[in-house]
Amino acid sequence: MLIKNGLVVVDGEIKFKDILIENEKIVEISDEIIKDGEKILDAKGHYIIPGIIDPHVHMRDPGLTHKEDFETGSKACAKGGVTTFFDMPNTIPNTITEEELLKKKKDAIGRSYVDYGFYFGGSKLDNSTEVEKVKDLVVATKVFMNVSTGNMLVEDEKILENIFKVSKLVGVHAEGEMVQKAIELSEKTGTPVYLCHLSTKEEVEMVRNGKKKGLKIYGEVTPHHLFLNEKDVLKNSLLRMKPELKTKEDNEALWEGIIDGTIDTIGTDHAPHKLEEKLEKLTFGIPGVEHSLEMMLKGVAGGRITLNDLTKIMSENTAKIFGIKNKGKLEIGYDADLVIINLETTERIKKEEVVSKCGWTPYDGFLKGGEVLTTIVRGNVVYNNKKFINKKIGKEVM
Ligand code: DOR
Ligand code: ZN
Ligand code: ZN
Protein backbone atom coordinates (compact mmCIF):
# COMPACT_ATOMS: atom_id res chain seq x y z
CA MET A 1 0.00 0.00 0.00
CA LEU A 2 1.12 3.51 -0.78
CA ILE A 3 -0.08 6.41 1.37
CA LYS A 4 0.17 9.66 -0.52
CA ASN A 5 0.12 13.31 0.57
CA GLY A 6 0.54 12.84 4.30
CA LEU A 7 2.14 15.35 6.63
CA VAL A 8 4.74 13.69 8.80
CA VAL A 9 7.26 14.83 11.37
CA VAL A 10 10.77 14.01 10.13
CA ASP A 11 13.68 15.00 12.41
CA GLY A 12 11.45 17.45 14.21
CA GLU A 13 10.29 19.08 10.98
CA ILE A 14 6.88 18.83 9.38
CA LYS A 15 7.00 17.66 5.78
CA PHE A 16 4.78 16.24 3.06
CA LYS A 17 5.78 12.64 2.46
CA ASP A 18 4.55 9.48 0.83
CA ILE A 19 4.80 6.23 2.79
CA LEU A 20 5.22 2.86 1.13
CA ILE A 21 4.14 -0.24 3.06
CA GLU A 22 5.11 -3.76 2.10
CA ASN A 23 4.60 -6.96 4.09
CA GLU A 24 3.15 -5.01 7.01
CA LYS A 25 6.26 -2.83 7.36
CA ILE A 26 7.18 0.71 6.40
CA VAL A 27 9.68 0.32 3.58
CA GLU A 28 10.01 3.87 2.28
CA ILE A 29 9.22 7.41 3.41
CA SER A 30 10.02 10.00 0.77
CA ASP A 31 8.77 12.66 -1.59
CA GLU A 32 6.53 11.54 -4.41
CA ILE A 33 6.87 7.78 -4.42
CA ILE A 34 5.61 6.28 -7.66
CA LYS A 35 4.83 2.60 -7.78
CA ASP A 36 2.61 1.09 -10.44
CA GLY A 37 -0.15 -1.22 -9.37
CA GLU A 38 0.19 -0.35 -5.69
CA LYS A 39 -3.05 0.29 -3.74
CA ILE A 40 -3.17 4.01 -2.92
CA LEU A 41 -4.57 5.73 0.14
CA ASP A 42 -4.76 9.51 -0.14
CA ALA A 43 -4.06 11.22 3.21
CA LYS A 44 -5.21 14.51 1.62
CA GLY A 45 -2.70 16.65 3.46
CA HIS A 46 -3.58 15.36 6.91
CA TYR A 47 -1.03 14.39 9.54
CA ILE A 48 0.15 10.80 9.86
CA ILE A 49 1.49 9.72 13.24
CA PRO A 50 2.60 6.38 14.70
CA GLY A 51 -0.26 4.24 15.99
CA ILE A 52 -0.99 4.82 19.65
CA ILE A 53 0.20 2.19 22.11
CA ASP A 54 -2.06 2.12 25.17
CA PRO A 55 -0.18 0.33 27.92
CA HIS A 56 -3.07 0.22 30.38
CA VAL A 57 -6.48 -1.20 29.53
CA HIS A 58 -8.98 -3.50 31.25
CA MET A 59 -10.79 -5.41 28.49
CA ARG A 60 -12.82 -7.46 31.03
CA ASP A 61 -12.41 -10.65 29.05
CA PRO A 62 -12.94 -13.28 30.51
CA GLY A 63 -15.53 -13.04 33.24
CA LEU A 64 -16.87 -9.52 32.92
CA THR A 65 -17.73 -9.49 29.25
CA HIS A 66 -21.06 -7.78 29.80
CA LYS A 67 -18.92 -4.62 30.34
CA GLU A 68 -16.46 -5.12 27.47
CA ASP A 69 -14.84 -7.93 25.55
CA PHE A 70 -11.88 -8.37 23.27
CA GLU A 71 -13.85 -7.52 20.14
CA THR A 72 -15.70 -4.45 21.39
CA GLY A 73 -12.73 -3.13 23.35
CA SER A 74 -10.33 -3.50 20.45
CA LYS A 75 -12.91 -1.95 18.12
CA ALA A 76 -12.98 1.07 20.43
CA CYS A 77 -9.16 1.11 20.16
CA ALA A 78 -9.33 1.11 16.35
CA LYS A 79 -11.71 4.06 16.46
CA GLY A 80 -9.41 5.93 18.82
CA GLY A 81 -6.20 5.41 16.83
CA VAL A 82 -4.87 2.85 19.32
CA THR A 83 -3.05 0.18 17.32
CA THR A 84 -1.67 -1.78 20.29
CA PHE A 85 -2.98 -2.24 23.83
CA PHE A 86 -1.83 -4.09 26.93
CA ASP A 87 -4.55 -5.87 28.87
CA MET A 88 -4.68 -5.97 32.68
CA PRO A 89 -5.05 -9.13 34.79
CA ASN A 90 -8.04 -8.24 37.02
CA THR A 91 -10.40 -10.30 34.92
CA ILE A 92 -12.38 -13.22 36.38
CA PRO A 93 -10.58 -15.48 36.98
CA ASN A 94 -7.57 -13.25 37.66
CA THR A 95 -4.65 -13.81 35.32
CA ILE A 96 -2.36 -15.12 38.06
CA THR A 97 -1.56 -18.64 36.88
CA GLU A 98 0.21 -19.84 33.77
CA GLU A 99 -2.87 -21.83 32.85
CA GLU A 100 -5.14 -18.77 32.95
CA LEU A 101 -2.67 -16.71 30.94
CA LEU A 102 -2.38 -19.34 28.22
CA LYS A 103 -6.15 -19.64 28.08
CA LYS A 104 -6.51 -15.88 27.75
CA LYS A 105 -3.97 -15.83 24.94
CA LYS A 106 -5.69 -18.66 23.09
CA ASP A 107 -9.15 -17.12 23.44
CA ALA A 108 -7.94 -13.77 22.10
CA ILE A 109 -6.79 -15.15 18.76
CA GLY A 110 -8.82 -13.79 15.84
CA ARG A 111 -10.91 -11.50 18.02
CA SER A 112 -8.98 -8.22 18.09
CA TYR A 113 -9.01 -5.36 15.59
CA VAL A 114 -5.59 -4.21 16.80
CA ASP A 115 -2.41 -5.69 18.26
CA TYR A 116 -2.17 -6.49 21.96
CA GLY A 117 -0.12 -7.80 24.84
CA PHE A 118 -0.97 -9.14 28.30
CA TYR A 119 0.07 -8.40 31.85
CA PHE A 120 0.39 -11.16 34.40
CA GLY A 121 -0.98 -10.45 37.87
CA GLY A 122 0.96 -10.68 41.12
CA SER A 123 -1.10 -12.48 43.76
CA LYS A 124 -1.41 -11.97 47.51
CA LEU A 125 -0.79 -15.73 47.86
CA ASP A 126 2.68 -15.22 46.37
CA ASN A 127 2.61 -16.66 42.86
CA SER A 128 6.22 -15.68 42.18
CA THR A 129 7.08 -19.10 40.74
CA GLU A 130 4.32 -18.59 38.16
CA VAL A 131 5.47 -15.00 37.56
CA GLU A 132 8.94 -16.28 36.78
CA LYS A 133 7.66 -19.02 34.48
CA VAL A 134 5.65 -16.65 32.28
CA LYS A 135 7.76 -13.53 32.37
CA ASP A 136 8.75 -13.67 28.73
CA LEU A 137 5.16 -14.31 27.63
CA VAL A 138 3.84 -11.03 29.01
CA VAL A 139 4.59 -7.33 28.78
CA ALA A 140 5.00 -6.95 32.55
CA THR A 141 3.77 -8.09 35.95
CA LYS A 142 0.94 -6.00 37.40
CA VAL A 143 0.70 -5.50 41.13
CA PHE A 144 -2.05 -3.68 43.00
CA MET A 145 -0.50 -1.96 46.03
CA ASN A 146 -3.69 -0.07 46.86
CA VAL A 147 -7.33 -1.13 46.91
CA SER A 148 -9.03 -0.87 43.53
CA THR A 149 -11.63 -2.60 41.37
CA GLY A 150 -11.11 -6.36 41.61
CA ASN A 151 -9.69 -8.17 44.58
CA MET A 152 -6.00 -8.17 43.78
CA LEU A 153 -4.40 -6.15 46.56
CA VAL A 154 -0.97 -7.40 47.65
CA GLU A 155 0.06 -5.96 51.01
CA ASP A 156 2.68 -8.31 52.38
CA GLU A 157 6.07 -6.72 51.92
CA LYS A 158 7.96 -9.99 51.54
CA ILE A 159 5.54 -11.20 48.87
CA LEU A 160 5.83 -7.91 47.00
CA GLU A 161 9.58 -8.29 47.05
CA ASN A 162 9.41 -11.88 45.80
CA ILE A 163 7.21 -10.82 42.91
CA PHE A 164 9.45 -7.88 42.00
CA LYS A 165 12.55 -10.09 42.11
CA VAL A 166 11.37 -12.50 39.42
CA SER A 167 9.71 -9.96 37.11
CA LYS A 168 11.34 -8.23 34.16
CA LEU A 169 9.20 -5.12 34.73
CA VAL A 170 6.50 -4.43 37.32
CA GLY A 171 3.55 -2.15 36.62
CA VAL A 172 2.04 -0.95 39.87
CA HIS A 173 -1.23 0.52 40.94
CA ALA A 174 0.29 2.63 43.71
CA GLU A 175 -1.09 5.83 45.18
CA GLY A 176 0.45 8.39 47.50
CA GLU A 177 3.16 6.94 49.72
CA MET A 178 2.84 3.57 48.00
CA VAL A 179 4.47 5.20 44.97
CA GLN A 180 7.56 5.73 47.12
CA LYS A 181 7.30 2.15 48.41
CA ALA A 182 7.18 0.84 44.83
CA ILE A 183 10.22 2.90 43.90
CA GLU A 184 12.08 1.47 46.90
CA LEU A 185 11.13 -2.09 45.99
CA SER A 186 12.44 -1.44 42.51
CA GLU A 187 15.69 -0.06 43.86
CA LYS A 188 16.10 -2.98 46.27
CA THR A 189 15.38 -5.72 43.73
CA GLY A 190 16.89 -4.07 40.66
CA THR A 191 13.68 -4.63 38.69
CA PRO A 192 12.36 -1.58 36.81
CA VAL A 193 9.00 -0.28 37.92
CA TYR A 194 6.26 1.29 35.81
CA LEU A 195 4.12 3.61 37.92
CA CYS A 196 0.59 3.58 36.55
CA HIS A 197 -1.71 6.58 36.54
CA LEU A 198 0.24 9.11 38.62
CA SER A 199 -2.26 11.69 39.74
CA THR A 200 -0.69 14.15 42.18
CA LYS A 201 2.04 16.72 42.35
CA GLU A 202 3.69 14.77 45.19
CA GLU A 203 3.75 11.53 43.21
CA VAL A 204 5.33 13.28 40.23
CA GLU A 205 7.96 14.68 42.58
CA MET A 206 8.75 11.18 43.91
CA VAL A 207 9.31 9.94 40.37
CA ARG A 208 11.34 13.03 39.48
CA ASN A 209 13.63 12.44 42.47
CA GLY A 210 13.95 8.73 41.74
CA LYS A 211 14.94 9.47 38.15
CA LYS A 212 17.51 11.99 39.37
CA LYS A 213 19.06 9.17 41.39
CA GLY A 214 19.33 7.18 38.17
CA LEU A 215 16.70 4.57 39.07
CA LYS A 216 14.93 2.62 36.34
CA ILE A 217 11.48 3.98 36.99
CA TYR A 218 8.80 5.10 34.58
CA GLY A 219 5.72 7.27 35.03
CA GLU A 220 2.34 7.04 33.32
CA VAL A 221 -0.53 9.52 33.39
CA THR A 222 -4.07 9.19 32.09
CA PRO A 223 -5.85 11.76 29.92
CA HIS A 224 -8.51 12.09 32.65
CA HIS A 225 -6.01 13.09 35.31
CA LEU A 226 -4.70 15.75 32.91
CA PHE A 227 -7.99 17.18 31.69
CA LEU A 228 -10.39 16.65 34.61
CA ASN A 229 -10.30 17.42 38.32
CA GLU A 230 -12.44 17.29 41.46
CA LYS A 231 -14.57 20.21 40.24
CA ASP A 232 -15.77 18.07 37.34
CA VAL A 233 -16.92 15.34 39.73
CA LEU A 234 -19.35 17.81 41.28
CA LYS A 235 -20.99 18.19 37.86
CA ASN A 236 -20.72 14.56 36.79
CA SER A 237 -20.90 11.82 39.40
CA LEU A 238 -19.77 9.20 36.86
CA LEU A 239 -16.23 10.54 37.12
CA ARG A 240 -15.14 8.18 39.91
CA MET A 241 -12.08 6.00 39.47
CA LYS A 242 -8.95 4.91 41.30
CA PRO A 243 -6.93 7.03 41.67
CA GLU A 244 -9.66 9.66 42.06
CA LEU A 245 -9.52 12.97 40.22
CA LYS A 246 -7.47 15.55 42.12
CA THR A 247 -7.06 19.34 41.98
CA LYS A 248 -6.41 21.82 39.19
CA GLU A 249 -2.94 22.24 40.66
CA ASP A 250 -2.33 18.52 40.26
CA ASN A 251 -3.45 18.72 36.60
CA GLU A 252 -0.78 21.37 36.11
CA ALA A 253 1.90 19.35 37.92
CA LEU A 254 1.19 16.36 35.68
CA TRP A 255 1.58 18.52 32.56
CA GLU A 256 4.87 19.82 33.97
CA GLY A 257 5.96 16.23 34.52
CA ILE A 258 5.27 15.54 30.85
CA ILE A 259 7.20 18.58 29.70
CA ASP A 260 10.31 17.85 31.81
CA GLY A 261 10.35 14.15 30.96
CA THR A 262 9.38 12.84 34.40
CA ILE A 263 6.28 11.32 32.81
CA ASP A 264 7.11 8.81 30.10
CA THR A 265 3.77 7.61 28.80
CA ILE A 266 0.04 8.14 28.45
CA GLY A 267 -2.12 5.17 29.44
CA THR A 268 -5.88 5.40 29.57
CA ASP A 269 -6.68 2.92 32.35
CA HIS A 270 -9.64 2.05 30.12
CA ALA A 271 -11.93 0.60 32.80
CA PRO A 272 -15.35 0.12 31.24
CA HIS A 273 -18.38 -0.37 33.48
CA LYS A 274 -21.96 -0.24 32.19
CA LEU A 275 -23.74 3.04 32.76
CA GLU A 276 -26.40 1.18 34.79
CA GLU A 277 -23.68 -0.21 37.06
CA LYS A 278 -22.15 3.22 37.55
CA LEU A 279 -25.54 4.72 38.41
CA GLU A 280 -26.60 1.90 40.69
CA LYS A 281 -23.66 2.02 43.09
CA LEU A 282 -20.24 3.58 43.47
CA THR A 283 -18.11 1.77 40.86
CA PHE A 284 -14.55 2.86 40.14
CA GLY A 285 -13.38 3.18 36.56
CA ILE A 286 -14.11 5.06 33.33
CA PRO A 287 -13.58 4.11 29.67
CA GLY A 288 -10.70 5.70 27.76
CA VAL A 289 -9.29 4.12 24.59
CA GLU A 290 -11.85 5.56 22.23
CA HIS A 291 -10.94 9.18 22.86
CA SER A 292 -7.45 9.27 24.36
CA LEU A 293 -5.74 10.55 21.22
CA GLU A 294 -8.53 12.98 20.35
CA MET A 295 -8.35 14.33 23.90
CA MET A 296 -4.55 14.49 24.07
CA LEU A 297 -4.55 16.39 20.78
CA LYS A 298 -6.26 19.18 22.72
CA GLY A 299 -2.86 19.54 24.40
CA VAL A 300 -1.34 20.09 20.95
CA ALA A 301 -4.11 22.49 19.90
CA GLY A 302 -3.69 24.42 23.16
CA GLY A 303 0.08 24.67 22.71
CA ARG A 304 1.01 22.59 25.77
CA ILE A 305 2.89 19.94 23.80
CA THR A 306 4.13 19.51 20.26
CA LEU A 307 2.69 16.78 18.07
CA ASN A 308 6.14 15.21 17.91
CA ASP A 309 6.46 15.06 21.70
CA LEU A 310 2.93 13.68 21.99
CA THR A 311 3.85 10.77 19.74
CA LYS A 312 6.80 10.05 22.05
CA ILE A 313 4.61 9.64 25.16
CA MET A 314 1.80 7.87 23.30
CA SER A 315 3.89 5.51 21.17
CA GLU A 316 7.67 5.65 21.08
CA ASN A 317 8.48 5.66 24.81
CA THR A 318 5.84 3.04 25.49
CA ALA A 319 7.31 0.63 22.93
CA LYS A 320 10.78 1.15 24.39
CA ILE A 321 9.81 0.69 28.05
CA PHE A 322 7.91 -2.53 27.37
CA GLY A 323 10.44 -3.85 24.89
CA ILE A 324 8.10 -3.93 21.89
CA LYS A 325 10.40 -4.04 18.92
CA ASN A 326 9.50 -2.44 15.60
CA LYS A 327 6.61 -0.39 16.90
CA GLY A 328 6.11 3.19 18.06
CA LYS A 329 7.88 5.11 15.31
CA LEU A 330 7.40 6.12 11.70
CA GLU A 331 10.60 4.61 10.46
CA ILE A 332 11.75 2.26 7.78
CA GLY A 333 11.60 -1.33 9.00
CA TYR A 334 8.98 -0.56 11.65
CA ASP A 335 5.49 -2.08 11.67
CA ALA A 336 3.14 0.04 9.57
CA ASP A 337 0.94 1.04 12.53
CA LEU A 338 -0.30 4.48 11.55
CA VAL A 339 -3.04 6.95 12.32
CA ILE A 340 -4.22 9.70 10.00
CA ILE A 341 -5.60 12.64 11.96
CA ASN A 342 -7.41 15.83 11.07
CA LEU A 343 -6.14 18.63 13.28
CA GLU A 344 -8.58 21.14 11.81
CA THR A 345 -11.66 19.44 13.16
CA THR A 346 -14.50 21.25 14.89
CA GLU A 347 -16.15 17.98 15.92
CA ARG A 348 -17.26 17.13 19.40
CA ILE A 349 -17.18 13.76 21.14
CA LYS A 350 -20.67 12.25 21.17
CA LYS A 351 -21.90 9.46 23.41
CA GLU A 352 -24.16 8.21 20.59
CA GLU A 353 -21.03 7.27 18.63
CA VAL A 354 -19.43 5.17 21.38
CA VAL A 355 -18.57 1.62 20.31
CA SER A 356 -17.25 0.35 23.64
CA LYS A 357 -19.76 -2.06 25.17
CA CYS A 358 -19.98 0.11 28.28
CA GLY A 359 -22.02 2.57 26.18
CA TRP A 360 -20.83 5.90 27.60
CA THR A 361 -17.89 8.28 27.66
CA PRO A 362 -16.65 10.74 30.29
CA TYR A 363 -15.94 13.18 27.46
CA ASP A 364 -19.43 13.56 25.97
CA GLY A 365 -19.73 17.01 24.39
CA PHE A 366 -15.98 17.79 24.59
CA LEU A 367 -14.39 19.43 21.55
CA LYS A 368 -11.87 17.12 19.91
CA GLY A 369 -8.29 18.36 19.63
CA GLY A 370 -8.12 16.40 16.40
CA GLU A 371 -10.12 13.70 14.71
CA VAL A 372 -9.00 10.16 13.99
CA LEU A 373 -9.72 9.60 10.30
CA THR A 374 -7.93 6.33 9.58
CA THR A 375 -6.27 3.64 11.70
CA ILE A 376 -3.85 1.21 10.13
CA VAL A 377 -2.44 -1.86 11.88
CA ARG A 378 0.59 -3.46 10.19
CA GLY A 379 -0.56 -2.11 6.84
CA ASN A 380 -4.18 -3.19 7.31
CA VAL A 381 -6.77 -0.43 7.40
CA VAL A 382 -9.01 -1.29 10.36
CA TYR A 383 -10.94 1.98 10.60
CA ASN A 384 -11.56 4.60 7.95
CA ASN A 385 -14.05 7.48 7.59
CA LYS A 386 -16.10 6.33 10.58
CA LYS A 387 -16.33 2.77 9.28
CA PHE A 388 -14.70 -0.39 10.61
CA ILE A 389 -13.12 -2.97 8.41
CA ASN A 390 -14.22 -6.17 10.11
CA LYS A 391 -11.09 -8.19 9.63
CA LYS A 392 -9.82 -8.92 13.10
CA ILE A 393 -6.16 -9.02 12.22
CA GLY A 394 -4.82 -8.08 15.65
CA LYS A 395 -1.88 -10.17 16.87
CA GLU A 396 -0.09 -10.54 20.15
CA VAL A 397 3.14 -8.57 20.42
CA MET A 398 5.07 -10.96 22.68
O1 DOR B 1 -10.81 2.94 38.68
C1 DOR B 1 -10.22 1.90 38.44
N1 DOR B 1 -10.84 0.90 37.80
N2 DOR B 1 -8.96 1.78 38.82
C2 DOR B 1 -8.31 0.61 38.72
O2 DOR B 1 -7.18 0.53 39.13
C3 DOR B 1 -9.00 -0.60 38.19
C4 DOR B 1 -10.11 -0.20 37.32
C5 DOR B 1 -11.07 -1.31 36.97
O3 DOR B 1 -10.61 -2.41 36.66
O4 DOR B 1 -12.26 -1.05 36.95
ZN1 ZN C 1 -4.94 1.09 38.74
ZN1 ZN D 1 -6.02 0.04 35.70
Side-chain angles (χ1 to χ4, degrees), residues 56 58 88 142 144 148 172-175 196-197 242-243 269:
H56 189 159
H58 300 263
M88 286 293 177
K142 172 68 184 284
F144 287 85
S148 187
V172 292
H173 178 121
E175 302 185 36
C196 294
H197 45 46
K242 292 285 184 186
D269 198 4

Side-chain angles (χ1 to χ4, degrees), residues 17 24 28 37 75 123 128 165 225 231 238 251 254 284 389:
K17 293 282 174 194
E24 308 194 334
E28 192 181 343
K75 190 173 182 179
S123 141
S128 42
K165 256 190 214 150
H225 290 111
K231 291 231 167 69
L238 297 174
N251 296 149
L254 297 179
F284 295 111
I389 292 54

Side-chain angles (χ1 to χ4, degrees), residues 379-390:
N380 302 280
V381 176
V382 293
Y383 175 77
N384 190 29
N385 286 327
K386 299 194 185 282
K387 288 199 184 66
F388 296 90
I389 292 54
N390 281 319

